[in-house]
Amino acid sequence: MIAPLTISLDVNGERVEAQVLPRQNLADFLREHLALTGTHIGCEHGVCGACTVRLNGDIVRSCLMLAVQAHSASVQTIEGLSDSGEIADLQAAFRERNALQCGFCTPGMLMAAQDLLRLDAAPDRERIREHLSGNYCRCTGYQAIIDAVEATAKARQAP
Ligand code: FES
Ligand code: FES
């Protein structure tokens, strides 16, 4: 019998303390313990990007991390970015340009796109494509997603 461990971390600005099994990954912890189901699980192998979250300011694949590794960290999920309004313009651009269809990839795609826009305020299409290349979308063909990110970058640059 493996004993659970206590972890304490900040999730979307709230202090969270929980008991987790040592082998539980961060994606499952967010979904099952905290009901933050916007973090999707696709491949569980670090390939698809559906589980992308922000950890101490950088995006990570939460299926590749153990929950215990997030002890003392600050985690932001798509719910946190959405509720704070940080990505309201990006979400609107995705809606306007039909950059989502089934929506499965969308939370991870938005997390990765916002990460790029924080690193590079004026990325060209090639840079956007490269930054999002680890986030798979089976529906859209990517063009509309690139359009939405490019439009958001331009709008944020406008005086
Ligand atoms: Fe984590 Fe696919 S579920 S990268
Ligand atoms: Fe369906 Fe991207 S919108 S996987």
Side-chain angles (χ1 to χ4, degrees):
M1 177 85 177
I2 299 170
L5 300 169
T6 301
I7 60 170
S8 172
L9 66 163
D10 181 296
V11 180
N12 297 331
E14 304 270 334
R15 201 74 206 156
V16 171
E17 198 166 295
Q19 297 238 306
V20 296
L21 288 173
R23 65 171 178 271
Q24 181 166 49
N25 70 37
L26 180 59
D28 286 338
F29 171 72
L30 293 169
R31 290 175 59 84
E32 292 168 15
H33 278 254
L34 305 180
L36 294 171
T37 53
T39 298
H40 289 169
I41 298 175
C43 64
E44 284 195 278
H45 286 89
V47 175
C48 73
C51 64
T52 303
V53 299
R54 194 186 280 164
L55 182 118
N56 293 336
D58 295 318
I59 54 170
V60 297
R61 294 180 177 224
S62 57
C63 73
L64 290 184
M65 275 194 68
L66 297 171
V68 293
Q69 292 176 297
H71 177 65
S72 297
S74 171
V75 174
Q76 285 175 291
T77 68
I78 191 63
E79 289 88 350
L81 265 61
S82 181
D83 291 350
S84 70
E86 179 182 332
I87 56 167
D89 54 350
L90 189 57
Q91 290 170 303
F94 267 57
R95 279 195 300 274
E96 281 157 20
R97 286 162 183 79
N98 296 319
L100 64 151
Q101 289 179 27
C102 79
F104 188 81
C105 70
T106 309
M109 200 66 85
L110 289 166
M111 296 291 306
Q114 176 65 1
D115 179 61
L116 170 63
L117 295 175
R118 280 165 23 124
L119 293 169
D120 183 349
D124 62 19
R125 291 181 71 82
E126 201 45 49
R127 174 105 164 94
I128 297 169
R129 193 177 291 281
E130 191 245 317
H131 196 83
L132 299 183
S133 63
N135 289 73
Y136 289 7
C137 176
R138 292 189 167 202
C139 306
T140 64
Y142 299 99
Q143 292 302 325
I145 293 172
I146 311 294
D147 291 347
V149 177
E150 184 181 41
T152 304
K154 285 188 176 150
R156 289 185 186 180
Q157 290 280 292

